[in-house]
Amino acid sequence: MPLDLNHNASQEKFAVLSDVQNILLTTNINETGKLQKICDKLLQTFSLDLVWGGLLEANNQLFVKGAAGKGDGHIKGLLLNSAEIPANGPITECINSMVPVHLANGFMDICKQFFSNLPSNIQSLPTQLYPLTMDNRCIGVIGVGTHQPQQPCTRSLLQMVVQHIGFTLGLLRSYMTYNSLQQDLKLASAVFDCALEGIFITDINGNIQAANTSASRITGYPNDELLGQNPRMLKSDYHDVQFYKSLWQLIRKNNRWQGEIWNKRKNGQVYPEWLSISPIKNDQGEVQSYIGIFIDISKQKEAEKRLIHLANHDKLTGLPNRDLFLDRLNIAVLEAKRHQQQIAVLFIDLDHFKYINDTFGHAQGDQVLQKVASRLKTGLRENDSLARMGGDEFTVILQDFDNHYDVEITANRIISTLDQPIFINQQEVYISSSIGISFFPEDGLSADVLMKRADTAMYSAKNNGRKQFHFFQSAMEGYSSQRLETERLLRRALENNEFLLHYQPQFDLSSGKLIGAEALLRWQRSDSSLVPPNKFIPLAEENGMILPIGEWVLKEVCKQAHSWQQGGWHSFRIAANLSARQFSQAGLSSRISNILSDSDLDPKYLELELTETAAMQNVESTLQTLITLKQTGISISIDDFGTGYSSLSYLKQFPIDRLKIDRSFIADIAHDPNDAAIVVATISLANCMGLRVLAEGVETEEQLSFLKMHGCHEAQGFLLGRPVPAEQFNDSYLANN
């Protein structure tokens, strides 16, 4: 739900100004007593753990005269001299700079030796030091300790209170030696006229007899235009007659009223202020006049509005966040029930967004999210509610549509809009989206159910190829729980040794010789069932498990390659797939070099395969990584060639050895002229660039004949050999060759 600021709590905090003023103007309490009462008041009002106040004595010694809260008995009465206040310490910094200073480690940041005897929970209590200042000089320090983070408006109010304390205490100290009535009157006049708060003194009829400088500053009226007038001249239309009647009834009953009131300045601007009105009585208890003390709280109100906005909007994109979206969805559901209308909830997830963060960095990833948010807004109507749920997830509420086809049009428009390239640092970045859609009332009668089912439909869209939308269907209900269970088992699979490798042979098409094998990952669970790669590899990519799994694959491949090398196969390489997340991982080359060294494998027997899409994500970074990898002596191939967005100007710079034509082009080369043309062009391109070409997915004699006829160098596929475990590979292929 949206942030609900406690209005009464805010009023209580603003009231502390008038309470502190009353403490400071109390004549029968000395300086130490006033500081102690102020510490007690601040502790109670702001729910702090510890408050202490110290004043500067001779030789810049800080005498702690008041303390309240946890461990106050250990603090009060301390006299800190130059030994405990080093010249470069935080207290000296606060005194000299006259700005607040934060002590992350509390008293330990001041002097560890001096405060080592304090209880441990007090020693390191995070503390904010506020300077007590007057006439551009510091007269002391207020320390505020709390484990709870403070809101900006609370810190501003605390600083305002401390400024007022310092100013008034400074005046009191300056004039405390004057005991005559005349000097007391001068002091009161100085406090009155120089106070940060506006002050009115009126007669019993409400006519203003005195107004200080701050009153003129806040209201906009010069002093001569205020004197003799009634404060009702400031009245706005914000409050009704009953409000003012209740106000005066409470003054007569309680001898005081304080609260928030909206008044109008001379220029007509309506503003909020915190006002305290008290009667001034003579010795007989008769009211002689009234005093009103008020502060302009416009900035605090603006800060509250900003906090509310920040609490309900995403800072990066400016879109409503999860809380505000769910609040709006609940309201939309209530309205739909009342008017018997439909609602559609769209759950949008960006495909492979982690690759962008891993490749370009989070700063550029944030730019992509901002551009995605902008595109989504332009693709929706004004009355559609768009939000960012977090990460790369966005949601939309659609209302006022006639049928499901209208929603389908919107979903297709979103997919098409996000399919256009995004330019980051003058490079094209391609991103797509998967969308799940649920409807009220057919898919759910509450916001929670609608969200859950839209999320389920989104994962169904991802699992079926991404870059599409799915309407929720009841058959999807078990998918989310199944996915969570698969992820749980996947995290245990590595430590339980449930992964294994199968090897698919690769042949030279001109000689028919076995020249290598591709290592393919398999997951055999403890019940001996095999989990298909397309069921767990995308999940491992998403949750980061692909990194430890990928490293395990490389280690196993190098061990096996070394074993076959020792067995006499000196022209036999093994290819291992490198995921996009692995490729963007820092220190990849060093990690691979260590694996080669540990397995005692000659690097020429290892080939790494990188998909075309991953290679083109960040060309400059890809080029540097490939150069470093190539220097180790390994071979490099581009996998799934033809399915990405390769630029030949970039491709020719890459230090690669081989292009692997994706199986999707091989499947119909004997019957589809377009696929045939692509394959022939790829072979020709590779020959011109001095690269080898390997065709994947060769399953028929027609395909094999076509590839041989057009000069394809190498091939693999079910026609030539299925992937098998290493032991079976030995028996089926190595022994026969």
Side-chain angles (χ1 to χ4, degrees), residues 356-571:
I356 293 176
N357 270 341
D358 293 342
T359 303
F360 291 95
H362 288 276
Q364 284 73 20
D366 287 348
Q367 292 181 36
V368 171
L369 290 173
Q370 289 170 335
K371 292 182 179 182
V372 166
S374 178
R375 289 187 181 184
L376 288 173
K377 283 190 284 189
T378 59
L380 296 170
R381 302 170 300 178
E382 287 188 8
N383 62 332
D384 297 332
S385 187
L386 170 67
R388 181 185 176 212
M389 303 300 281
D392 59 351
E393 296 177 340
F394 298 83
T395 47
V396 179
I397 303 171
L398 297 182
Q399 296 171 282
D400 301 325
F401 55 87
D402 294 328
N403 49 53
H404 287 196
Y405 181 67
D406 292 340
V407 177
E408 185 175 330
I409 291 174
T410 300
N412 278 321
R413 184 166 60 246
I414 290 172
I415 291 172
S416 176
T417 298
L418 297 183
D419 195 38
Q420 302 303 311
I422 294 174
F423 289 89
I424 298 294
N425 296 335
Q426 299 181 339
Q427 291 192 27
E428 289 185 354
V429 174
Y430 288 85
I431 197 163
S432 61
S433 60
S434 301
I435 304 176
I437 305 172
S438 63
F439 290 92
F440 172 90
E442 61 192 74
D443 295 327
L445 300 177
S446 69
D448 289 341
V449 173
L450 290 171
M451 285 293 295
K452 180 181 178 181
R453 291 182 171 173
D455 183 49
T456 298
M458 181 272 292
Y459 276 112
S460 174
K462 276 189 175 295
N463 196 47
N464 284 273
R466 307 175 189 268
K467 197 177 175 181
Q468 58 186 289
F469 70 88
H470 278 188
F471 291 145
F472 174 78
Q473 297 176 4
S474 57
M476 301 174 182
E477 197 70 71
Y479 177 74
S480 294
S481 57
Q482 179 185 353
R483 185 176 185 275
L484 288 173
E485 177 64 12
T486 301
E487 182 170 359
R488 184 184 69 82
L489 294 173
L490 181 62
R491 292 187 180 278
R492 295 183 178 180
L494 193 58
E495 58 188 70
N496 292 341
N497 297 317
E498 294 179 5
F499 290 116
L500 51 90
L501 294 177
H502 285 186
Y503 296 88
Q504 185 171 34
Q506 297 172 335
F507 292 91
D508 182 279
L509 293 186
S510 61
S511 65
K513 288 181 59 178
L514 176 70
I515 56 172
E518 179 180 4
L520 300 171
L521 182 63
R522 298 292 184 263
W523 178 14
Q524 187 171 40
R525 288 166 53 174
S526 55
D527 60 1
S528 297
S529 61
L530 277 175
V531 182
N534 65 337
K535 294 294 184 182
F536 72 89
I537 290 181
L539 184 58
E541 288 272 6
E542 287 183 24
N543 63 23
M545 281 294 295
I546 197 67
L547 295 177
I549 292 174
E551 186 159 343
W552 176 87
V553 169
L554 287 173
K555 289 178 179 179
E556 291 299 310
V557 164
C558 288
K559 288 179 185 177
Q560 187 60 61
H562 180 261
S563 173
W564 281 333
Q565 180 190 1
Q566 293 295 104
W569 285 93
H570 299 298
S571 59

Side-chain angles (χ1 to χ4, degrees), residues 218-495:
I218 293 172
T219 65
Y221 287 95
N223 191 268
D224 58 350
E225 293 183 21
L226 290 171
L227 297 179
Q229 300 296 321
N230 192 293
R232 70 171 63 97
M233 67 185 290
L234 304 172
K235 184 174 67 173
S236 69
D237 296 329
Y238 195 89
H239 308 286
D240 57 18
V241 174
Q242 186 57 43
F243 172 83
Y244 294 101
K245 285 184 178 179
S246 299
L247 182 153
W248 284 104
Q249 286 173 358
L250 290 170
I251 291 174
R252 287 189 287 271
K253 179 181 178 182
N254 301 327
N255 287 319
R256 186 184 184 190
W257 180 89
Q258 64 177 7
E260 182 182 303
I261 190 169
W262 289 75
N263 277 337
K264 184 164 61 176
R265 306 187 207 275
K266 183 179 180 179
N267 63 7
Q269 180 189 22
V270 177
Y271 70 98
E273 68 178 36
W274 187 262
L275 172 64
S276 173
I277 303 176
S278 302
I280 301 175
K281 299 180 180 181
N282 59 21
D283 293 339
Q284 289 73 40
E286 299 169 335
V287 176
Q288 290 184 320
S289 55
Y290 293 94
I291 181 171
I293 304 173
F294 56 95
I295 60 171
D296 183 350
I297 59 173
S298 300
K299 291 184 178 179
Q300 285 79 7
K301 285 289 184 181
E302 291 171 4
E304 286 183 3
K305 287 182 180 179
R306 286 196 297 272
L307 284 174
I308 292 173
H309 180 84
L310 289 173
N312 292 287
H313 287 79
D314 173 50
K315 184 178 180 181
L316 179 65
T317 63
L319 296 177
N321 63 12
R322 176 186 294 271
D323 290 337
L324 183 54
F325 179 82
L326 292 176
D327 187 55
R328 289 181 177 179
L329 182 55
N330 279 308
I331 293 172
V333 168
L334 291 175
E335 291 178 351
K337 288 179 179 178
R338 186 179 305 117
H339 301 293
Q340 296 185 337
Q341 295 174 334
Q342 279 191 314
I343 300 172
V345 176
L346 279 64
F347 203 114
I348 306 166
D349 187 90
L350 305 182
D351 298 329
H352 301 304
F353 180 72
K354 286 185 175 64
Y355 296 161
I356 293 176
N357 270 341
D358 293 342
T359 303
F360 291 95
H362 288 276
Q364 284 73 20
D366 287 348
Q367 292 181 36
V368 171
L369 290 173
Q370 289 170 335
K371 292 182 179 182
V372 166
S374 178
R375 289 187 181 184
L376 288 173
K377 283 190 284 189
T378 59
L380 296 170
R381 302 170 300 178
E382 287 188 8
N383 62 332
D384 297 332
S385 187
L386 170 67
R388 181 185 176 212
M389 303 300 281
D392 59 351
E393 296 177 340
F394 298 83
T395 47
V396 179
I397 303 171
L398 297 182
Q399 296 171 282
D400 301 325
F401 55 87
D402 294 328
N403 49 53
H404 287 196
Y405 181 67
D406 292 340
V407 177
E408 185 175 330
I409 291 174
T410 300
N412 278 321
R413 184 166 60 246
I414 290 172
I415 291 172
S416 176
T417 298
L418 297 183
D419 195 38
Q420 302 303 311
I422 294 174
F423 289 89
I424 298 294
N425 296 335
Q426 299 181 339
Q427 291 192 27
E428 289 185 354
V429 174
Y430 288 85
I431 197 163
S432 61
S433 60
S434 301
I435 304 176
I437 305 172
S438 63
F439 290 92
F440 172 90
E442 61 192 74
D443 295 327
L445 300 177
S446 69
D448 289 341
V449 173
L450 290 171
M451 285 293 295
K452 180 181 178 181
R453 291 182 171 173
D455 183 49
T456 298
M458 181 272 292
Y459 276 112
S460 174
K462 276 189 175 295
N463 196 47
N464 284 273
R466 307 175 189 268
K467 197 177 175 181
Q468 58 186 289
F469 70 88
H470 278 188
F471 291 145
F472 174 78
Q473 297 176 4
S474 57
M476 301 174 182
E477 197 70 71
Y479 177 74
S480 294
S481 57
Q482 179 185 353
R483 185 176 185 275
L484 288 173
E485 177 64 12
T486 301
E487 182 170 359
R488 184 184 69 82
L489 294 173
L490 181 62
R491 292 187 180 278
R492 295 183 178 180
L494 193 58
E495 58 188 70

Side-chain angles (χ1 to χ4, degrees), residues 85-103 109 129 131 138 141:
I85 311 178
N88 60 347
I91 291 185
T92 303
E93 178 187 351
C94 181
I95 293 171
N96 291 340
S97 66
M98 291 187 290
V99 296
V101 173
H102 182 68
L103 308 179
D109 286 344
L129 300 180
C138 183
V141 173

